[in-house]
């Protein structure tokens, strides 16, 4: 600051008055702890001792001129408290906070279902959230709404005031999850799976030995505290490996490395590794199929809501890949194995409520990749696909109901016959210059669902809803990397030819196709001359693009093609499995059989 | 007027997937509409392709279609369900565009379906910028100078007449997709081309820049008896040039004199009447020149919007729910206010607290992307906080963001501890902070704190950022008080 005192004056002791003023200025306990070189809990204790506690005001539309009946509150530091505490049994649900990539509306859906379930059970549902866009912050939906930050300080203040029977932290995604342990430490009862169980699932070493104990296969993994460590671990696991920092979730800064140089580069540039923040290294199951399961456990029985199959192969974040219910490329025996593993895991982690498990299948072996004993992003999709409201059931289980008395114990997801496809929606059109290839880091903002009696129809509808409607005729541009110059590609291209598409390809791909008896027009890559593929896209001479990523050297080319496709709203596929699914969709669109049917009809008259 | 009895079924169109610029606020509005209209006894038919929404819960409508929201599929639903009316104002731009397409292609006429909430003519007048400008001219309200073009050559001609910087806004896109600000000719050409290809009708508006002006929004409702109420005024902390969705916003407006506010209020009433939204909510945006008070109308959304969700949460007045009731014939004086039960909805809300909204961005997921904020929205979410003063609400909102902030700095996450800088380090840091503040970037408010700590004055900061002095004074009060707090100790 401008005029610094020459010598430090003696610090004054904190008084009730100064603390109160700090609070009126909005300072948090955490800031005060920082300013006074103390801890948040010390500040909190002092605040309680001095009686500096918030009051809760009512949002009343009329500046207190008329009596307000709506239980919609916010905290402030004044004298009169307007939030009257009832004598009913109360359960508090912590919401998801601001939407961001990786944590969106799905968690709001789960929270609202939690509220509905509590109300149905005659329990007063208290909601805490700070996101104004949501349904969970509609005071009409909840019994009582606290529009407050989801920090330990603010949530504890509400707990002090309301004294709820318990708090549900497993519906709002990462935000409330982080509060589980600190809240428990302050004597707040956490409903559902214990924070200990949630922790166990996230602690690699302990979880790894649990899987071993249960006899469930998982990809080999290691933990590294230095660059050398990482290389050693990767080499003993075997390439390719998936590397990521341990302290962030949602796939941030994850990478797939095919050799030791890549691991070294990643370790040097991507993370600052330390004993508190090691780097996790997993064997990456290349070309594996991935599956997601959402289930509810009441401590005794397990309700499997459904098994979803990812359409893209392993390596793409589960929040970004498209998926289908019921799974379409797995044997009944492997579905049984998935089911058995899910039940075992739910019991081993003492799950009460929701659990999400990610599986991978490679060479007919089912591996467990990850377990999260909490609401997942896919809960609403599974619930809409099957008609079983998982989040609602989970909330009821958390307050003591059983799957048996809720009448859902024997639900068999295999009885659902219609096909539901979920497709992700990306913001690339808003971000020129962003890399557009999918990977282990999630970047989609939202999702759509297509429902149809047939797989192709469901994919077609999902693509239309996502704004990538597939063409029924025209010209396919294809450029695949060397490992994709295989029978699968040939089959896909033959299918497009059969459907009447003409084919344009880059030199290498064209040669590969020619060697296998498929004619195509060769087109220049961007740096080979003109007219090149981007010119064709811009001139509307290409209707669909298949471009599997080739690696660093041709990134510029791929980016140019992808960006041109996005700007001209041309379907752009970067994996063979998505390209194959698109063939089925185009077939469905050509047969003009895409009918509309309501969820109520699907439930009343199953196919 | 009592509710309409000549209709029995209503088709509500949702907003589809969550994208930047169209998020779960439309789940909130759509869910309210479904619930309230069902309570009124109508048969509700719903279409939305987004499975993560509450509104697509099978319990909320009589027939829930998780199907693509395109004219083709919505026509199939109309053909099958034969709704009497369509309510297109709850599902953002997606729903509105779909309804317009169905109206213009004759589908609505073919099946005898009426648009409620907003008529086609009103939608077009509000959404087509040329018609909108003409309408504003008619009622004597100023708009930014500029014109519509469909080609590069036309764009260049207008640009020559207004001079740089120039705003480029594609017609009929959502969240300002494809729009931008150009400071030179090269940027201008690039952005016009991008804008033309983003617009479904290949049209862009080339407009005089009002960057640096103060920006306001009013949430307005009107009924069939021509009652008009202003639900909420919202002031942008960030001046014009930053999309509202990317601005810190404050409700109620803090820096208008009563006279200025009444002037804006009168203008809003004129706008909603002239555009002809007969039943429902609209959002009207204004810009005010801080040097001379000149006010212009920026745009109007003839539907519920992200801002109306915010205004509903800020005031407790459920705009979507009321808009749905107005759409079926009720008038504002007939609907009781949810909160007081005894006052009618025609009482304008009054609030005795301050609300602050801060957007949340996720740029770390998109390497290489420019994080400068402009007329195209880039944030992916937002938080809101309520407190008795702007200072309290701002700090609460910052800690709600969950990006590790405990408030306005002083939380162990500071980029620099200004107090520990040596005299020769100060100029370098001053330059760094000022350079940053010259461009609108996410959470510049934290840099305003550093700037104040570094000794920049409120006048300096106003010149650099055009953030209103009132807000800067408040930040200064927080900064000064932080300094005072440091003179205390716990032991």
């Amino acid at each position: 600051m401008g005029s610094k005192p020459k010598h430090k004056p003696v610090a004054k002791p904190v008084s009730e008055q100064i603390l109160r003023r700090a609070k009126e200025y909005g300072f948090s306990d955490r800031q005060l702890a920082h300013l006074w070189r103390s801890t948040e809990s010390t500040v909190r204790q002092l605040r309680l001792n001095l009686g500096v506690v918030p009051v809760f005001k009512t949002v009343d539309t009329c500046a207190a001129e008329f009596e307000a009946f709506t239980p919609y509150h916010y905290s402030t530091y004044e004298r009169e408290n307007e939030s009257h505490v009832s004598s009913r049994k109360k359960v508090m649900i912590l919401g998801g906070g601001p939407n961001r990539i990786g944590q969106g509306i799905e968690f709001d859906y789960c929270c609202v279902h939690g509220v509905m379930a509590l109300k149905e059970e005659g329990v007063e549902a208290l909601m805490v959230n700070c996101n104004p866009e949501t349904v969970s912050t509609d005071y009409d939906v909840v019994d009582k709404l606290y529009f407050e930050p989801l920090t330990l300080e603010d949530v504890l203040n509400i707990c002090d005031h309301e004294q709820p029977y318990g708090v549900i932290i497993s519906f709002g995604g990462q935000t409330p999850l982080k509060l589980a342990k600190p809240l428990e430490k302050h004597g707040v009862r956490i409903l559902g799976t214990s924070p200990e169980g949630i922790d166990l699932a996230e602690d690699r070493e302990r979880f790894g030995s649990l899987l071993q104990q249960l006899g469930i296969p998982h990809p080999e993994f290691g933990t590294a505290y230095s660059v050398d460590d990482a290389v050693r671990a990767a080499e003993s696991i075997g390439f390719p490996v998936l590397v990521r920092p341990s302290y962030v979730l949602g796939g941030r800064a994850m990478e797939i490395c095919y050799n030791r140089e890549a691991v070294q580069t990643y370790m040097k540039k991507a993370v600052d590794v330390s004993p508190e923040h090691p780097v996790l290294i997993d064997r990456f199951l290349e070309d594996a199929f991935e599956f997601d399961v959402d289930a509810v456990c009441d401590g005794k029985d397990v309700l499997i809501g459904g098994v979803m199959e990812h359409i893209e192969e392993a390596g793409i974040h589960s929040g970004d890949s498209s998926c289908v219910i019921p799974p379409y490329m797995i044997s009944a025996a492997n579905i049984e194995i998935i089911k058995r593993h899910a039940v075992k895991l739910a019991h081993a982690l003492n799950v009460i409520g929701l659990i999400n498990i990610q599986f991978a299948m490679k060479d007919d072996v089912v591996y467990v990749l990850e377990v999260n004993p909490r609401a997942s992003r896919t809960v609403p999709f599974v619930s809409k696909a099957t008609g079983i409201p998982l989040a609602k059931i989970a909330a009821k289980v958390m307050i003591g109901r059983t799957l048996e008395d809720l009448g859902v114990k024997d639900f068999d997801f295999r009885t659902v016959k219609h096909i539901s496809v979920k497709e992700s929606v990306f913001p690339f059109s808003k971000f020129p210059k962003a890399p557009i290839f999918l990977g282990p880091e999630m970047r989609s903002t939202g999702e759509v669902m297509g429902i149809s009696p047939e797989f192709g129809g469901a994919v077609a509808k999902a693509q239309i809803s996502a704004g990538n409607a597939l063409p029924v005729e025209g010209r396919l541009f294809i450029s695949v990397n060397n490992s994709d110059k295989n029978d699968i590609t040939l089959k896909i291209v033959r299918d497009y030819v059969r459907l009447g598409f003409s084919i344009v390809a880059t030199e290498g791909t064209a040669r590969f196709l020619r060697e296998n008896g498929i004619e195509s027009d060769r087109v220049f890559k961007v740096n080979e001359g003109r007219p090149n593929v981007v010119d064709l896209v811009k001139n509307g001479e290409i209707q669909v693009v298949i471009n599997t990523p080739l690696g660093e050297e041709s990134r510029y080319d791929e980016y140019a093609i992808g960006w041109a496709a996005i700007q001209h709203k041309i379907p752009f596929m970067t994996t063979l499995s998505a390209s194959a699914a698109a063939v089925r969709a185009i077939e469905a669109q050509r047969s003009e059989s895409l009918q509309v049917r309501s969820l109520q009809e699907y439930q009343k008259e199953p196919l | 007027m009592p509710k309409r009895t000549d209709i029995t079924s209503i088709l509500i169109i949702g907003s589809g997937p969550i994208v930047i610029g169209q998020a779960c606020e439309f789940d909130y509005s759509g869910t309210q509409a479904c619930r309230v209209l069902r309570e009124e006894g109508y048969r509700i038919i719903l279409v939305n392709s987004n499975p993560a929404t509450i509104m697509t819960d099978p319990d909320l409508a009589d027939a829930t279609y998780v199907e693509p929201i395109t004219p083709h599929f919505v026509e199939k639903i109309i053909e099958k369900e034969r709704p009497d009316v369509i309510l297109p104002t709850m599902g953002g731009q997606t729903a509105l565009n779909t309804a317009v397409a169905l109206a213009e292609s004759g589908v609505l006429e073919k099946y005898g379906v009426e648009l409620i909430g907003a008529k086609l003519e009103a939608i077009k007048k509000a959404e087509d910028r040329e018609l909108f400008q003409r309408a504003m001219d008619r009622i004597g309200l100023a708009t930014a100078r500029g014109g519509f073009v469909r080609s590069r050559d036309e764009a260049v001609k207008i640009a020559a007449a207004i001079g740089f910087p120039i705003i480029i806004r594609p017609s009929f896109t959502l969240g300002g997709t494809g729009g931008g600000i150009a400071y030179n000719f090269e940027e201008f050409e690039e952005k016009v081309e991008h804008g033309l290809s983003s617009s479904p009708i290949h049209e862009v508006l080339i407009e005089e820049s009002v960057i640096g002006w103060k920006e306001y929004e009013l949430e307005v409702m009107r009924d069939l008896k021509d009652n008009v109420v202003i639900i909420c005024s919202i002031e942008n902390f960030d001046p014009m040039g930053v999309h509202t969705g990317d601005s810190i916003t404050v409700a109620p407006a803090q820096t208008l004199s009563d006279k200025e506010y009444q002037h804006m209020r009168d203008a809003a009433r004129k706008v909603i009447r002239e555009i002809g939204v007969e039943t429902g909510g609209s959002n009207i945006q204004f810009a005010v020149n801080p040097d001379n008070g000149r006010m212009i109308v920026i745009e109007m959304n003839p539907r519920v919007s992200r801002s109306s969700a915010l205004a509903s949460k800020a005031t407790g007045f459920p705009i979507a729910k009321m808009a749905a009731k107005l759409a079926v014939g009720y008038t504002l004086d007939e609907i009781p206010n949810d909160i007081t039960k005894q006052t009618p909805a025609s009482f304008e809300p009054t609030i005795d607290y301050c609300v602050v909204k801060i957007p949340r961005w996720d740029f770390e997921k998109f390497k290489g992307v420019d994080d400068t904020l402009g007329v195209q929205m880039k944030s992916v979410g937002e938080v809101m906080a309520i407190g008795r003063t702007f200072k309290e609400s701002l700090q609460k909102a910052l800690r709600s963001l969950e990006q590790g902030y405990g408030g306005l700095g002083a939380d162990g996450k500071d980029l620099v501890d200004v107090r520990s800088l040596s005299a020769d380090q100060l100029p370098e840091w001053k330059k760094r902070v000022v350079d940053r503040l010259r461009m609108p970037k996410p959470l510049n408010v934290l840099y305003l704190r550093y700037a104040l700590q570094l000794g920049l004055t409120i006048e300096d900061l106003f010149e650099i950022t055009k953030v209103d002095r009132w807000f800067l004074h408040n930040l200064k009060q927080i900064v000064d008080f932080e300094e005072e707090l440091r003179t205390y100790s716990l032991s």
Side-chain angles (χ1 to χ4, degrees):
Chain A
M1 301 297 285
S3 56
K4 273 185 193 167
K6 290 207 176 75
H7 56 89
K8 258 193 148 185
V10 181
K12 295 164 269 185
V14 171
S15 62
E16 182 201 331
Q17 198 192 7
I18 193 75
L19 204 47
R20 192 167 279 284
R21 253 184 81 207
K23 286 292 163 190
E24 286 166 2
Y25 271 67
F27 280 87
S28 62
D29 288 355
R30 218 186 104 201
Q31 284 170 300
L32 297 176
H34 176 76
L35 290 172
W36 295 332
R37 294 187 180 78
S38 179
T39 65
E40 196 181 325
S41 60
T42 310
V43 173
R44 174 179 151 84
Q45 201 47 55
L46 175 74
R47 203 162 49 68
L48 297 181
N49 293 345
L50 294 174
V52 182
V53 294
V55 295
F56 294 93
K57 293 285 178 194
T58 301
V59 170
D60 61 5
T61 76
C62 58
E65 202 171 315
F66 299 91
E67 191 182 351
F69 297 92
T70 305
Y72 172 11
H73 305 288
Y74 66 95
S75 72
T76 191
Y77 284 81
E78 284 186 7
R79 299 290 168 188
E80 191 197 352
N81 203 325
E82 296 171 3
S83 164
H84 307 292
V85 176
S86 78
S87 56
R88 296 170 60 195
K89 181 176 178 180
K90 294 179 273 298
V91 167
M92 184 189 285
I93 298 184
L94 302 187
N99 283 3
R100 58 268 202 192
I101 289 176
Q103 176 147 344
I105 182 173
E106 303 83 2
F107 296 104
D108 195 52
Y109 168 94
C110 291
C111 290
V112 171
H113 272 251
V115 166
M116 291 173 179
L118 294 174
K119 285 169 93 171
E120 281 171 23
E121 295 296 311
V123 173
E124 187 174 334
L126 314 176
M127 183 75 215
V128 186
N129 202 358
C130 56
N131 179 347
E133 305 172 315
T134 55
V135 178
S136 63
T137 52
D138 184 351
Y139 59 78
D140 235 8
V141 167
V142 302
D143 283 322
K144 205 168 187 180
L145 168 67
Y146 285 93
F147 209 107
E148 289 285 292
L150 288 155
T151 66
L152 182 67
E153 172 182 350
D154 297 285
V155 172
L156 278 177
N157 283 340
I158 305 167
C159 286
D160 290 345
H161 178 64
E162 285 281 350
Q163 297 292 323
Y165 166 76
V167 178
I168 294 179
I169 48 93
S170 55
F171 281 178
Q174 281 303 317
T175 301
L177 217 55
K178 283 187 297 199
L179 295 177
K181 282 225 151 160
L183 283 174
E184 197 177 41
K185 232 184 258 164
H186 281 89
V188 175
R189 180 187 287 119
I190 304 298
L191 297 180
T193 310
S194 69
E196 169 59 20
I198 296 170
D199 245 30
L200 171 56
E202 273 176 13
D203 181 322
R204 312 278 285 185
E205 301 293 333
R206 288 168 66 204
F207 185 62
S209 49
L210 175 72
L211 288 175
Q212 238 139 35
Q213 239 172 52
L214 298 172
I216 299 177
H218 61 88
E220 286 161 72
F221 66 88
T223 310
Y225 297 92
S226 69
V227 180
D228 292 343
D229 259 10
V231 172
R232 229 174 293 127
E235 281 177 340
S236 88
I237 289 166
F239 292 99
V241 289
L242 185 67
V243 285
R244 60 183 152 147
S246 59
Y247 58 95
V248 283
L249 292 144
R252 203 169 129 211
M254 251 192 214
E255 228 167 84
I256 295 161
C257 298
Y258 286 85
N259 52 48
R260 68 179 281 162
E261 287 71 38
V263 173
Q264 279 167 337
T265 317
Y266 174 86
M267 291 295 289
K268 278 177 194 151
K269 70 162 195 213
V271 283
D272 61 302
V273 51
S274 68
E276 301 89 67
H277 299 146
V279 164
L280 309 176
I281 300 171
D282 293 74
R283 188 177 146 220
F284 174 60
L285 301 171
E286 208 168 17
D287 299 325
F289 293 101
E290 291 193 350
F291 301 86
D292 255 73
V293 168
D294 283 306
V296 180
C297 179
D298 63 6
K300 178 166 162 275
D301 295 305
V302 178
L303 161 68
I304 308 274
V307 176
M308 285 154 275
E309 179 169 347
H310 295 198
I311 292 179
E312 286 86 1
E313 45 282 86
I316 290 171
H317 192 278
S318 65
D320 279 357
S321 68
S322 39
C323 69
V324 52
I325 288 181
Y328 71 126
M329 297 217 281
I330 182 176
S331 65
N334 278 336
I335 288 194
E336 258 324 300
I337 291 176
I338 283 180
K339 225 183 116 179
R340 266 207 314 273
H341 289 345
V343 171
K344 261 193 209 168
L345 282 164
H347 285 311
L349 294 169
N350 296 315
V351 169
I352 305 289
L354 283 160
I355 178 172
N356 169 269
I357 308 168
Q358 287 172 32
F359 294 94
M361 189 178 73
K362 187 176 164 74
D363 302 330
D364 218 35
V365 178
V366 174
Y367 298 86
V368 165
L369 298 183
E370 207 180 308
V371 177
N372 290 299
R374 56 177 170 90
S376 77
R377 207 173 286 119
T378 43
V379 163
F381 170 65
V382 178
S383 301
K384 299 263 148 87
T386 60
I388 297 292
L390 291 176
K392 230 183 209 182
I393 293 167
K396 291 186 180 181
V397 161
M398 286 185 209
I399 53 169
R401 298 289 300 269
T402 66
L403 293 171
E404 185 158 14
D405 68 21
L406 291 169
V408 291
K409 180 175 88 88
D410 298 318
F411 169 74
D412 185 349
F413 58 89
R414 285 164 294 199
T415 57
V416 176
K417 295 297 179 212
H418 58 267
I419 313 289
S420 303
V421 166
K422 185 200 90 173
E423 179 59 81
S424 305
V425 176
F426 299 89
F428 299 136
S429 67
K430 306 257 176 183
F431 293 143
K433 302 196 174 71
I436 39 189
F437 287 92
L438 304 185
E441 190 161 337
M442 178 168 168
R443 292 182 303 166
S444 58
T445 53
E447 67 202 66
V448 293
M449 177 175 182
I451 314 175
S452 188
E454 303 294 339
F455 176 70
V459 173
K461 283 182 176 178
Q463 292 299 334
I464 295 168
S465 289
N468 311 315
L470 291 158
V472 288
E473 56 183 20
R475 226 166 168 205
L476 162 73
F477 166 77
I478 181 162
S479 171
V480 294
N481 60 38
N482 285 334
S483 67
D484 285 338
K485 294 197 170 85
N486 56 24
D487 289 349
I488 303 171
T489 297
L490 291 175
K491 162 115 180 44
I492 291 168
V493 176
R494 288 200 179 101
D495 281 336
Y496 277 95
V497 172
R498 176 173 53 81
L499 291 167
F501 282 78
S502 59
I503 312 294
V504 192
T506 49
E507 189 183 5
T509 305
R511 195 183 325 122
F512 166 70
L513 293 177
R514 197 176 330 115
E515 283 161 6
N516 288 282
I518 303 172
E519 280 315 308
S520 63
D521 295 333
R522 198 212 136 178
V523 64
F524 285 136
K525 289 184 181 175
V526 177
N527 45 19
E528 285 175 342
R530 304 194 70 164
N532 59 41
V533 50
V534 169
D535 294 317
L536 295 193
V537 169
K538 286 189 174 170
N539 291 337
E541 294 172 49
I542 287 174
Q543 282 66 47
V544 54
V545 174
I546 298 175
N547 188 6
T548 65
L550 294 156
E552 288 303 329
E553 70 274 15
S554 57
R555 271 289 141 94
Y556 173 72
D557 223 42
E558 290 167 348
Y559 167 72
I561 300 168
W563 177 240
I566 285 167
Q567 273 194 304
H568 293 80
K569 302 189 175 70
I570 294 168
F572 176 74
M573 289 170 277
T574 60
T575 64
L576 292 184
S577 41
S579 311
V583 170
R584 306 264 302 265
I586 292 170
E587 283 172 334
Q589 275 171 251
R590 284 167 68 107
S591 69
E592 289 190 11
S593 62
L594 298 183
Q595 295 308 315
V596 293
R597 202 161 192 260
S598 68
L599 294 181
Q600 289 81 359
E601 286 173 288
Y602 279 114
Q603 273 166 34
K604 234 180 282 164
E605 309 152 40
L607 296 172
Chain B
M1 261 167 267
K3 76 170 193 207
R4 288 176 63 172
T5 50
D6 60 326
I7 56 175
T8 57
S9 60
I10 301 175
L11 172 63
I12 297 177
I13 309 179
S15 67
I18 304 298
V19 294
I20 290 177
Q22 199 164 274
C24 57
E25 64 269 17
F26 297 112
D27 190 25
Y28 166 62
S29 54
T31 301
Q32 280 200 340
C34 287
R35 290 177 45 171
V36 67
L37 294 178
R38 215 159 173 226
E39 277 167 23
E40 293 291 337
Y42 297 107
R43 174 177 159 80
I44 303 301
I45 303 140
L46 172 73
V47 56
N48 193 353
S49 56
N50 185 345
T53 51
I54 310 289
M55 68 192 295
T56 52
D57 264 356
D59 301 346
L60 279 168
D62 296 281
T64 308
Y65 287 88
V66 178
E67 301 285 2
I69 307 173
T70 62
H72 173 77
F73 281 93
V74 176
E75 179 177 356
K76 285 189 174 203
I77 294 166
I78 292 172
E79 186 187 356
K80 186 171 159 195
E81 294 282 349
R82 299 299 177 113
D84 298 312
V85 296
I86 294 188
L87 180 60
T89 50
M90 299 292 156
Q93 201 61 40
T94 302
L96 217 50
N97 287 355
T98 307
V100 168
L102 289 167
E104 291 188 331
S105 66
V107 169
L108 300 189
E109 201 182 347
K110 179 176 168 193
Y111 294 100
V113 189
E114 177 192 340
L115 278 182
I116 59 168
K119 300 291 177 208
L120 183 64
E121 198 200 344
I123 298 172
K124 299 206 74 166
K125 248 196 206 172
E127 299 256 305
D128 181 318
R129 288 171 190 276
E130 202 158 358
L131 294 179
F132 185 69
Q133 273 191 354
R134 264 191 252 138
M136 293 306 101
D137 286 347
R138 266 198 300 279
I139 51 174
L141 291 174
T143 50
R145 286 178 296 133
F148 295 86
V149 301
R150 286 176 179 251
S151 75
R152 194 193 142 273
D153 291 349
E154 290 175 78
V156 170
K157 252 181 244 159
I158 295 192
I162 46 185
F164 289 99
I166 292 174
I167 309 270
I168 297 116
R169 298 178 194 268
S171 299
F172 290 99
T173 67
L174 104 113
T177 304
I181 304 168
Y183 291 90
N184 60 49
F185 194 70
E186 191 188 342
E187 260 182 359
F188 179 71
E189 286 193 301
E190 189 187 312
K191 286 182 176 169
V192 167
E193 192 197 338
H194 182 39
L196 286 169
S197 69
S198 303
S199 164
I201 58 162
H202 298 283
E203 181 188 87
V204 294
L205 172 62
I206 306 294
E207 207 174 56
E208 142 193 36
S209 161
V210 284
I211 291 172
W213 290 28
K214 306 208 291 181
E215 186 172 359
Y216 296 89
E217 293 176 80
L218 294 189
E219 290 299 319
V220 189
M221 299 200 81
R222 180 172 180 229
D223 67 16
L224 284 169
K225 281 190 199 153
D226 198 24
N227 293 308
V228 176
V229 289
I230 311 289
I231 305 305
C232 187
S233 62
I234 300 175
E235 175 162 0
N236 288 17
F237 174 94
D238 299 284
M240 286 294 292
V242 175
H243 192 282
T244 308
D246 276 349
S247 296
I248 294 178
T249 60
V250 184
Q254 302 288 319
T255 73
L256 288 176
S257 67
D258 185 52
K259 208 170 153 189
E260 285 173 313
Y261 175 63
Q262 295 307 331
H263 180 44
M264 194 175 284
R265 202 168 166 272
D266 290 344
R269 296 159 65 103
K270 276 195 209 163
V271 173
I272 197 168
R273 285 186 173 129
E274 172 61 29
I275 295 301
V277 172
E278 285 173 344
T279 60
S282 290
N283 156 270
I284 305 171
Q285 292 172 28
F286 296 92
V288 173
N289 186 333
D291 298 330
N292 56 21
R294 179 184 165 215
M295 182 183 84
I296 62 167
V297 184
I298 302 294
E299 67 171 20
M300 167 186 183
N301 287 308
R303 54 173 170 83
V304 302
S305 62
R306 180 178 41 258
S307 296
S308 53
L310 182 73
S312 299
K313 301 292 162 74
T315 58
F317 187 102
I319 293 174
K321 184 175 173 180
M322 296 305 169
K325 285 198 167 198
L326 298 183
V328 295
Y330 284 109
T331 53
L332 287 160
D333 54 312
E334 292 170 348
I335 310 172
N337 177 323
D338 262 6
I339 286 191
T340 60
K341 310 276 186 206
Q342 38 172 321
T343 56
S346 51
F347 273 44
E348 291 189 351
T350 317
I351 59 185
D352 54 359
Y353 46 82
C354 180
V355 171
V356 173
K357 173 214 88 175
I358 304 182
R360 162 92 191 228
W361 294 269
D362 245 348
F363 285 111
E364 65 268 31
K365 302 260 178 182
F366 301 92
K367 291 178 196 101
V369 161
D370 180 11
D371 66 349
T372 306
L373 306 178
V375 298
Q376 171 180 308
M377 181 171 161
K378 293 180 175 174
S379 65
V380 293
E382 61 188 35
V383 296
M384 177 183 112
I386 316 176
R388 294 303 256 194
T389 61
F390 169 71
K391 295 185 279 285
E392 185 185 9
S393 305
L394 177 75
Q395 297 226 67
K396 276 176 94 172
L398 282 164
R399 69 178 190 258
S400 297
L401 281 173
E402 284 171 67
Q403 291 180 303
Y405 303 112
L408 185 69
D411 51 11
K413 282 215 38 165
D414 288 348
L415 186 69
V416 56
D417 180 1
V418 170
R419 309 163 74 257
S420 71
L421 291 177
S422 64
D424 48 328
Q425 287 172 308
L426 284 174
E428 178 203 326
W429 271 98
K430 259 189 197 169
K431 180 175 180 324
R432 204 170 145 184
V433 168
V434 167
D435 283 350
R436 159 88 189 206
L437 288 172
R438 284 192 197 283
M439 290 308 274
K441 298 258 188 190
L443 295 181
N444 263 2
V445 64
L446 298 171
Y447 286 80
L448 286 171
R449 167 170 168 268
Y450 299 135
L452 289 164
Q453 289 180 324
L454 283 161
L456 277 94
T457 64
I458 285 169
E459 276 316 306
D460 295 339
L461 293 175
F462 174 72
E463 281 314 313
I464 296 166
T465 63
K466 298 290 177 197
V467 169
D468 191 274
R469 295 174 183 88
W470 187 88
F471 292 120
L472 296 171
H473 272 291
N474 272 273
L475 296 181
K476 178 93 169 63
Q477 287 165 8
I478 297 176
V479 168
D480 289 348
F481 188 66
E482 177 194 325
E483 207 49 38
E484 189 184 338
L485 283 171
R486 287 180 195 271
T487 64
Y488 287 82
S489 138
L490 274 185
S491 46

